[in-house]
C-alpha cells in the first residue's frame, strides 16, 4: 500500500471521528466542496492562471482541464478547482467555523507542524476559503489526552504568536551581482546599483549601525554562485541581495530556504520564487498586480469623468493586458467609457465623443514614444480650438523615459494635465533627489545613467530599507516588514505575502500628476 493511500485513509478515519463528535466540524452543506482529487482556490486580484499554477506546482493545462472557462478569463472572487498533487504537501481549503486545532485533528498532527510550513499563517490570514499547506512528510501525533478545551486553546493561540526580536550587532549582507556580464549596459546598471548601495551604507554609519558587506561577482551563469555559496562567510549571512537571471535567482533562493536567510530580489518582476519561498522579498511589482492596482487607482481618480480609450490597429497596442483589466473593472463598477481609433479621422471622431460638462480623460492602448507623439499633436490642436474643454491624458510608467528623451514632452504634459502610474519615480527637482544626485556626483565624478528606474537610487533605497528593518527587528522581520514609514527616494515599500507559505512582493504604486500650474505631484497609492 502506498504512503499517500495510507495518509488518505488516516484522513478519512479522523474526519469521520470529528463529524461524530461534532466539536470541530460542521455539516457538509456549509463547506467549500473539496475531495481527494482537488481543492478550491479563491482568485485574488492580480493573480493569473500561471501564477496560481506556479503556487501549487501544477501545470496551467491541469487547471484548464478542471476549469475550462479559465482559459478565456478569470476574475477575482471566482473559485478554481486545483488538482491535488502528491508530494511533500497537500493543500486544504479553510472551511466555515474551522479552527487551526480542528485542521490539526483532521490531519492527525500538531498545530506546530502546520504553522511550520505556513509562515504567513496568523489570526488575520486564517480565513474561510484561504489555502494552507499540510505536510505529508512530517506527520506527528496530535495533542492527545488532557482537557479538550485547553488543547484547542493552546493550538489556536499559535496563530497569535510572534517571534522575539533578536538584536543584531553587526548586520552581515551579501550582495550578489553580475559585474562581468557580457551585456555592457547591464554591467553599468549593476555597478551603479552597488554604488548607490554604498551611499546607503554611509547614511547608515551616521546612525551608528554596523554593517559587514560582502560583494561578489556572480557572472552570467550559476557556476560562480555555487562556489560563492560554499564559502564559510556565506553560512552566517543576515541578508542576501541580488541575482539577475531566473537560474541565478532560483539557486540563491534555494540557499536562502536551506539557511533560513531573508533574500531580496531587486530587479526582475517575473520570478516565481515568492510563491514558494517564505524568505523572498521581490522589490519590483509583478505586472498583473501592478495592472490590478493601477486600474483601481484610475477608477478612483476618474470615475465621474468622461473616459475615452484610444485604440489603434498598427502597430499592435502593447498595453492590452492593462486595458483588459481596466475594462473589466469599469464594467464591474458600471462606469461607462468610449472608444476612438487613432487614425486619420481621430480628431473628428474624438470631437463627437467629448463632453463639455465633464473632464475628458484620454488613455492610449500603447505606451510607445511614437504613439504618444501621434496622440499629443491632435490633442493640442483640439485644445487650441476648444480652450474651455477639460482634458487629462493618462498613461504608463515608461512615459518618464520619453520625457527625458524629448525636450518638449514635459511642457506638453503640463498642458494636457497628464498623469501616469509607475512603480519607480524620482523627480530631479525634489530636494531629496537633488541631494542624492549631488552626493552621487561628489563620490563618483559622474551623473546617474539615463535609465529608468535609476539603479543608483534603487540600490540606495533598498539598502536603507532592509538594513533598518534588521536593525529594528532582527532577522525575523517578516511580521514587521511594513512597519517602517520611511519612504524611499524613488520607490516605496509595501510588501504583501503572496500566500500562507510563500514570500513577499512589493505592491508599491505611484500616480504622478503634471499639473496645469507646472507643478508635479507624486501620490502613493495604498
Amino acid at each position: 500500500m502506498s504512503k499517500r493511500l495510507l495518509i488518505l485513509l488516516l484522513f478519512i478515519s479522523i474526519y469521520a471521528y470529528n463529524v461524530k463528535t461534532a466539536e470541530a466540524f460542521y455539516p457538509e452543506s456549509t463547506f467549500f466542496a473539496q475531495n481527494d482529487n482537488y481543492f478550491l482556490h479563491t482568485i485574488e486580484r492580480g493573480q493569473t492562471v500561471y501564477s496560481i499554477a506556479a503556487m501549487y506546482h501544477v501545470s496551467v493545462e491541469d487547471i484548464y482541464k478542471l476549469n475550462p472557462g479559465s482559459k478565456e478569463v478569470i476574475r477575482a472572487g471566482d473559485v478554481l478547482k486545483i488538482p491535488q498533487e502528491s508530494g511533500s504537501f497537500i493543500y486544504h481549503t479553510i472551511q466555515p467555523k474551522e479552527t487551526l486545532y480542528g485542521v490539526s485533528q483532521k490531519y492527525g498532527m500538531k498545530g506546530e507542524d502546520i504553522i511550520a510550513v505556513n509562515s504567513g499563517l496568523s489570526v488575520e490570514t486564517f480565513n474561510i476559503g484561504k489555502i494552507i499547506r499540510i505536510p505529508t512528510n512530517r506527520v506527528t501525533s496530535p495533542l492527545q489526552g488532557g482537557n479538550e478545551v485547553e488543547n484547542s486553546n493552546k493550538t489556536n493561540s499559535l496563530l497569535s504568536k510572534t517571534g522575539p526580536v533578536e538584536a543584531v550587532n553587526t548586520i552581515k549582507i551579501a550582495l550578489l551581482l553580475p559585474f562581468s556580464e557580457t551585456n555592457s549596459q547591464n554591467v553599468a546598471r549593476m555597478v551603479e546599483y552597488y554604488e548607490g548601495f554604498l551611499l546607503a551604507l554611509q547614511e547608515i554609519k551616521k546612525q551608528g549601525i554596523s554593517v559587514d558587506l560582502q560583494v561578489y561577482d556572480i557572472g552570467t551563469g550559476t557556476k560562480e554562485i555555487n562556489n560563492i555559496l560554499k564559502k564559510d562567510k556565506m553560512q552566517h549571512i543576515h541578508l542576501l541581495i541580488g541575482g539577475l537571471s531566473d537560474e541565478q535567482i532560483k539557486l540563491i533562493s534555494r540557499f536562502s530556504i536551506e539557511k533560513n536567510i531573508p533574500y531580496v530580489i531587486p530587479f526582475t518582476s517575473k520570478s516565481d520564487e515568492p510563491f514558494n519561498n517564505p524568505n523572498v522579498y521581490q522589490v519590483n511589482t509583478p505586472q498583473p498586480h501592478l495592472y490590478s492596482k493601477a486600474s483601481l487607482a484610475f477608477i478612483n481618480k476618474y470615475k465621474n469623468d468622461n473616459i475615452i480609450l484610444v485604440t489603434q490597429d498598427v502597430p499592435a497596442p502593447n498595453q492590452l493586458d492593462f486595458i483588459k483589466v481596466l475594462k473589466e473593472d469599469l464594467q464591474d463598477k458600471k462606469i461607462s467609457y468610449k472608444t476612438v481609433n487613432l487614425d486619420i479621422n481621430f480628431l473628428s471622431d474624438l470631437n463627437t465623443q467629448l463632453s463639455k460638462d465633464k473632464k475628458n480623460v484620454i488613455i492610449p492602448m500603447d505606451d510607445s514614444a511614437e504613439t504618444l507623439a501621434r496622440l499629443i499633436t491632435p490633442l493640442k490642436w483640439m485644445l487650441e480650438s476648444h480652450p474651455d474643454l477639460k482634458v487629462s491624458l493618462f498613461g504608463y510608467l515608461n512615459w518618464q523615459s520619453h520625457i527625458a528623451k524629448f525636450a518638449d514632452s514635459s511642457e506638453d504634459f503640463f498642458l494636457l494635465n497628464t498623469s501616469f502610474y509607475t512603480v519607480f519615480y524620482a523627480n530631479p527637482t525634489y530636494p531629496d533627489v537633488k541631494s542624492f544626485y549631488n552626493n552621487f556626483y561628489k563620490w563618483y565624478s559622474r551623473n546617474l545613467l539615463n535609465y529608468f528606474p535609476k539603479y543608483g537610487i534603487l540600490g540606495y533605497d533598498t539598502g536603507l530599507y532592509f538594513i533598518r528593518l534588521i536593525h529594528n527587528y532582527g532577522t525575523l522581520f517578516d511580521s514587521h516588514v511594513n512597519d517602517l514609514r520611511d519612504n524611499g527616494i524613488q520607490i516605496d515599500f509595501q510588501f504583501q505575502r503572496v500566500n500562507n507559505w510563500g514570500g513577499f512582493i512589493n505592491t508599491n504604486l505611484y500616480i504622478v500628476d503634471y499639473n496645469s500650474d507646472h507643478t508635479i505631484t507624486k501620490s502613493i497609492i495604498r
Side-chain angles (χ1 to χ4, degrees):
M1 186 178 294
S2 71
K3 177 181 177 182
R4 175 166 170 74
L5 182 56
L6 282 170
I7 292 171
L8 291 176
L9 289 173
L10 176 63
F11 295 166
I12 292 169
S13 65
I14 294 173
Y15 172 78
Y17 168 79
N18 281 305
V19 169
K20 288 178 183 178
T21 59
E23 289 181 3
F25 296 90
Y26 296 84
E28 182 66 28
S29 60
T30 68
F31 281 32
F32 286 79
Q34 176 168 329
N35 63 28
D36 294 337
N37 297 319
Y38 65 82
F39 59 96
L40 300 182
H41 172 89
T42 302
I43 301 166
E44 298 180 3
R45 287 191 64 84
Q47 290 184 331
T48 63
V49 174
Y50 174 82
S51 69
I52 294 169
M55 188 184 303
Y56 297 117
H57 296 286
V58 298
S59 71
V60 169
E61 291 303 321
D62 286 338
I63 294 179
Y64 288 156
K65 286 177 185 177
L66 286 177
N67 309 272
S70 66
K71 200 163 190 176
E72 302 301 323
V73 64
I74 64 171
R75 291 179 179 271
D78 289 349
V79 177
L80 291 179
K81 293 179 180 178
I82 309 296
Q84 190 75 273
E85 294 293 304
S86 60
S88 300
F89 306 101
I90 59 172
Y91 298 89
H92 174 83
T93 309
I94 298 173
Q95 307 297 325
K97 298 184 180 180
E98 198 165 44
T99 65
L100 177 61
Y101 177 69
V103 175
S104 70
Q105 292 293 101
K106 176 181 176 71
Y107 292 107
M109 63 184 65
K110 290 185 174 67
E112 287 87 345
D113 294 324
I114 298 174
I115 292 287
V117 296
N118 292 277
S119 298
L121 206 54
S122 66
V123 173
E124 290 75 23
T125 59
F126 195 93
N127 296 323
I128 296 170
K130 294 293 185 180
I131 308 296
I132 55 177
R133 291 203 300 192
I134 305 297
T136 59
N137 60 353
R138 196 194 299 185
V139 178
T140 58
S141 299
L143 288 174
Q144 296 176 345
N147 186 292
E148 183 76 6
V149 174
E150 289 180 1
N151 289 343
S152 177
N153 291 339
K154 180 180 179 181
T155 300
N156 293 333
S157 68
L158 295 171
L159 296 172
S160 303
K161 287 187 176 180
T162 58
V165 175
E166 297 182 6
V168 178
N169 295 324
T170 299
I171 301 171
K172 299 177 182 178
I173 300 175
L175 200 57
L176 306 164
L177 300 175
F179 294 118
S180 59
E181 236 230 12
T182 53
N183 186 317
S184 60
Q185 291 182 339
N186 277 345
V187 172
R189 291 184 179 105
M190 296 302 103
V191 170
E192 185 173 289
Y193 181 90
Y194 172 45
E195 291 169 335
F197 199 94
L198 291 179
L199 294 182
L201 292 189
Q202 288 182 2
E203 187 68 28
I204 286 295
K205 186 176 180 181
K206 295 176 186 176
Q207 301 173 24
I209 302 173
S210 178
V211 176
D212 175 8
L213 179 65
Q214 301 175 36
V215 183
Y216 298 99
D217 178 7
I218 59 175
T220 57
T222 58
K223 180 180 178 181
E224 289 300 322
I225 296 179
N226 277 312
N227 294 331
I228 292 166
L229 297 181
K230 293 175 183 177
K231 293 178 179 290
D232 290 339
K233 292 184 70 175
M234 288 295 296
Q235 311 312 306
H236 306 286
I237 291 294
H238 297 128
L239 184 69
L240 295 159
I241 302 176
L244 188 62
S245 70
D246 192 47
E247 292 76 15
Q248 291 175 338
I249 290 169
K250 286 180 179 179
L251 189 56
I252 300 170
S253 180
R254 284 198 294 270
F255 181 78
S256 87
I257 293 175
E258 178 188 341
K259 300 296 182 180
N260 195 27
I261 301 171
Y263 171 35
V264 177
I265 301 175
F267 307 121
T268 184
S269 64
K270 299 178 180 179
S271 175
D272 292 341
E273 293 307 304
F275 296 128
N276 292 285
N277 181 351
N279 300 324
V280 159
Y281 298 83
Q282 183 172 295
V283 170
N284 202 347
T285 309
Q287 286 188 339
H289 288 267
L290 177 62
Y291 295 156
S292 177
K293 195 169 182 178
S295 173
L296 291 184
F298 173 91
I299 289 173
N300 185 58
K301 187 176 178 69
Y302 300 115
K303 58 189 173 186
N304 298 318
D305 298 322
N306 183 38
I307 300 169
I308 302 173
L309 305 184
V310 179
T311 65
Q312 61 184 55
D313 301 322
V314 180
N318 61 15
Q319 285 295 330
L320 288 179
D321 288 341
F322 169 72
I323 295 297
K324 179 181 178 182
V325 173
L326 179 60
K327 284 182 175 180
E328 290 175 355
D329 284 341
L330 289 169
Q331 291 165 3
D332 287 345
K333 296 182 181 300
K334 296 180 172 52
I335 299 173
S336 62
Y337 63 89
K338 300 168 183 175
T339 302
V340 176
N341 196 39
L342 187 59
D343 55 19
I344 58 173
N345 299 315
F346 172 68
L347 197 54
S348 59
D349 291 342
L350 180 63
N351 277 324
T352 66
Q353 303 294 345
L354 293 172
S355 170
K356 295 181 181 179
D357 304 319
K358 296 181 177 180
K359 180 191 295 182
N360 298 279
V361 185
I362 315 295
I363 323 162
M365 296 172 65
D366 185 271
D367 65 359
S368 68
E370 293 76 17
T371 295
L372 185 59
R374 287 180 61 200
L375 185 59
I376 283 178
T377 300
L379 289 181
K380 289 168 65 177
W381 290 343
M382 181 188 67
L383 283 178
E384 290 176 2
S385 304
H386 306 282
D388 294 334
L389 278 176
K390 296 178 181 178
V391 174
S392 283
L393 181 62
F394 186 86
Y396 306 97
L397 65 169
N398 67 342
W399 277 12
Q400 54 191 313
S401 63
H402 302 337
I403 296 170
K405 290 178 182 177
F406 304 106
D408 295 335
S409 293
S410 59
E411 188 60 37
D412 292 337
F413 273 25
F414 287 126
L415 177 67
L416 297 171
N417 294 292
T418 302
S419 300
F420 57 85
Y421 71 85
T422 181
V423 178
F424 306 98
Y425 185 74
N427 186 338
T429 66
Y430 287 2
D432 55 354
V433 180
K434 278 185 176 181
S435 176
F436 181 87
Y437 274 55
N438 292 336
N439 199 30
F440 188 90
Y441 189 84
K442 171 187 172 183
W443 282 95
Y444 304 116
S445 300
R446 70 175 192 281
N447 294 318
L448 293 167
L449 297 169
N450 192 24
Y451 293 117
F452 293 92
K454 298 295 184 182
Y455 277 68
I457 308 181
L458 180 59
Y460 179 82
D461 285 346
T462 304
L464 277 184
Y465 195 82
F466 281 93
I467 292 171
R468 285 171 175 166
L469 271 177
I470 296 176
H471 175 70
N472 290 351
Y473 305 110
T475 54
L476 301 176
F477 58 75
D478 58 325
S479 59
H480 300 280
V481 68
N482 291 317
D483 288 356
L484 293 183
R485 286 297 88 209
D486 298 328
N487 297 328
I489 296 174
Q490 181 178 233
I491 186 171
D492 190 35
F493 296 95
Q494 301 177 47
F495 284 104
Q496 172 186 319
R497 199 185 282 275
V498 295
N499 54 48
N500 280 320
W501 57 91
F504 296 84
I505 56 172
N506 188 13
T507 61
N508 177 62
L509 179 72
Y510 295 127
I511 297 294
V512 178
D513 297 305
Y514 277 67
N515 306 307
S516 57
D517 62 358
H518 282 69
T519 60
I520 300 174
T521 55
K522 178 177 73 173
S523 303
I524 298 174
I525 306 302
R526 299 292 182 187

